[in-house]
Amino acid sequence: MRRAPRRKTRAKKDFPVAEIRRFLEPGPIVLVSSAWRRETNIMTMGWHTVMEFTPSLVGCVISSGNHSFEMIRRSKECVINIPTVDLAEIVVRIGNSSGRDTDKFSAFGLTPVPAAAVGAPLIAECHANLECRLADARLVERYNFFVFEVVKAHAATTPRYPRTIHYRGDGVFMLSGSNTSRYRRLFRPGML
Amino acid sequence: MRRAPRRKTRAKKDFPVAEIRRFLEPGPIVLVSSAWRRETNIMTMGWHTVMEFTPSLVGCVISSGNHSFEMIRRSKECVINIPTVDLAEIVVRIGNSSGRDTDKFSAFGLTPVPAAAVGAPLIAECHANLECRLADARLVERYNFFVFEVVKAHAATTPRYPRTIHYRGDGVFMLSGSNTSRYRRLFRPGML
């Protein structure tokens, strides 16, 4: 496999876990990093949703066909990383290779950084990193659906609105477009 | 409440339920329509995820504080409608009013169209309409999380990639940007 060029890492600050909707609710494709015993892995994930502000809950589908599935089920932890458009090719290559035969951090030139609260590594090149602990596994067997609590979050301070990658299926990506607060005045207090 | 101007309705064709990721996976805000006894309602929803292709499953959070919650829990049905940017103001106004005191179809000038498989109405002005039946209520009590099966789907044939609205929280919306299939060649067959 061609070795990918090393990308820019991002300096991060702590980010409030109750506000991670800012990154996830617009629906970007994400990279999920995991660790189990001496192994690390990364998978690409598009099926996720915010579920609660406090505790900060995220639900997502991790197919049992993925090498990451057992690593996350056993370690009960992962990191959800938000990549931006400069990582689009790597995101696709990660989704089209398997941790069974590939060390993805090494193969794709990504930098693992120790997390604060979980064993899985952060991906330094991503805009934000959400450290997650498994909160509810009741729907794992039937739907491969994991409910995670985000226990610690890190985010780059610039750009304010990162250019994210959104998957439409069939090899087509939508890139996030312009941002507007022109409708903000229409919100009732408490509904923002 | 100011009566909104009537918007353009969209002619629709049947759309394969196994391919509704095309609309939902990029993460747009959606409008959920429901019916219970003689009442209809519409709510704005941002917390949803595709869960399976076949059966076509969608998971979503419908807060118990919403008037729609009991209507959907009792009828076990809803329609997930995909609005485009021309409906942004209406989407916000719908999210900031309640079916307890507002007939939202009438108040916002939206056109209810009978669905094929469920009792909830389609919203004619939206780009696509996904008719849903409740498939799993196990996480409703704890997380307000509903798993629906999409039993019938309708979509406008143009534009190919509708300009959708994605919520970032705090009154800020991201509008969907450009679309690219430049990475399609990197996908393994079966991974598209």
Side-chain angles (χ1 to χ4, degrees), chain A residues 168 174, chain B residues 23 26-29 82-85 127 161-166 174-177:
Chain A
R168 293 195 182 277
M174 178 270 281
Chain B
F23 300 114
I29 203 100
I82 315 291
T84 43
V85 65
H127 180 83
Y161 300 122
R163 194 109 193 268
T164 48
I165 317 160
H166 302 247
M174 178 270 281
L175 305 181
S176 65

Side-chain angles (χ1 to χ4, degrees), chain A residues 4 25 33 65:
Chain A
E25 190 166 334
S33 47

Side-chain angles (χ1 to χ4, degrees), chain B:
Chain B
M1 186 177 298
R2 184 169 70 84
R3 195 178 176 94
R6 196 159 283 275
R7 309 281 165 147
K8 198 175 67 170
T9 59
R10 320 280 181 106
K12 310 274 166 52
K13 287 198 170 165
D14 288 352
F15 189 85
V17 294
E19 295 173 26
I20 54 96
R21 79 183 309 186
R22 170 168 157 190
F23 300 114
L24 290 184
E25 190 167 335
I29 203 100
V30 299
L31 295 175
V32 179
S33 46
S34 54
W36 175 242
R37 294 180 176 163
R38 291 188 192 173
E39 191 185 352
T40 63
N41 197 19
I42 312 174
M43 64 170 279
T44 299
M45 181 172 77
W47 291 2
H48 58 76
T49 180
V50 181
M51 289 179 67
E52 184 54 277
F53 296 113
T54 305
S56 175
L57 299 180
V58 176
C60 59
V61 176
I62 297 173
S63 170
S64 58
N66 285 308
H67 188 63
S68 297
F69 178 86
E70 283 295 336
M71 294 177 65
I72 293 170
R73 202 178 61 81
R74 288 168 195 265
S75 66
K76 298 183 167 56
E77 295 175 347
C78 70
V79 177
I80 297 175
N81 306 273
I82 315 291
T84 43
V85 65
D86 54 301
L87 295 172
E89 181 173 332
I90 287 178
V91 165
V92 175
R93 290 187 183 277
I94 286 173
N96 281 268
S97 57
S98 172
R100 265 180 289 276
D101 51 32
T102 305
D103 174 339
K104 298 199 194 180
F105 275 100
S106 167
F108 301 114
L110 297 172
T111 310
V113 173
V118 302
L122 317 177
I123 301 174
E125 287 79 4
C126 287
H127 180 83
N129 316 102
L130 316 178
E131 301 186 21
C132 296
R133 283 205 195 107
L134 185 58
D136 197 318
R138 268 184 290 173
L139 297 193
V140 169
E141 194 175 345
R142 184 144 184 189
Y143 303 108
N144 297 330
F145 187 78
F146 294 73
V147 180
F148 291 110
E149 178 178 354
V150 180
V151 292
K152 177 81 181 167
H154 316 260
T157 50
T158 58
R160 185 168 180 191
Y161 300 122
R163 194 109 193 268
T164 48
I165 317 160
H166 302 247
Y167 193 50
R168 292 193 184 279
D170 200 33
V172 178
F173 289 92
M174 178 270 281
L175 305 181
S176 65
S178 59
N179 294 278
T180 177
S181 52
R182 66 180 289 197
Y183 305 104
R184 201 174 191 282
R185 64 185 166 78
L186 300 175
F187 281 77
R188 283 191 288 121
M191 296 299 284
L192 283 168

Side-chain angles (χ1 to χ4, degrees), chain A residues 13-85:
Chain A
K13 288 198 170 166
D14 288 352
F15 188 85
V17 294
E19 295 174 25
I20 55 96
R21 80 183 308 187
R22 171 168 156 189
F23 300 114
L24 290 183
E25 190 166 334
I29 202 101
V30 300
L31 295 175
V32 179
S33 47
S34 54
W36 175 243
R37 293 181 174 163
R38 292 189 192 173
E39 192 185 351
T40 63
N41 198 20
I42 312 174
M43 64 170 278
T44 299
M45 181 172 76
W47 291 2
H48 57 76
T49 180
V50 180
M51 289 179 67
E52 185 54 277
F53 296 114
T54 305
S56 176
L57 298 180
V58 176
C60 58
V61 176
I62 298 173
S63 169
S64 58
N66 284 308
H67 188 62
S68 298
F69 178 86
E70 282 295 336
M71 295 176 65
I72 294 170
R73 202 178 61 80
R74 288 167 195 264
S75 65
K76 298 182 167 56
E77 294 175 347
C78 70
V79 177
I80 297 175
N81 306 272
I82 315 291
T84 43
V85 64

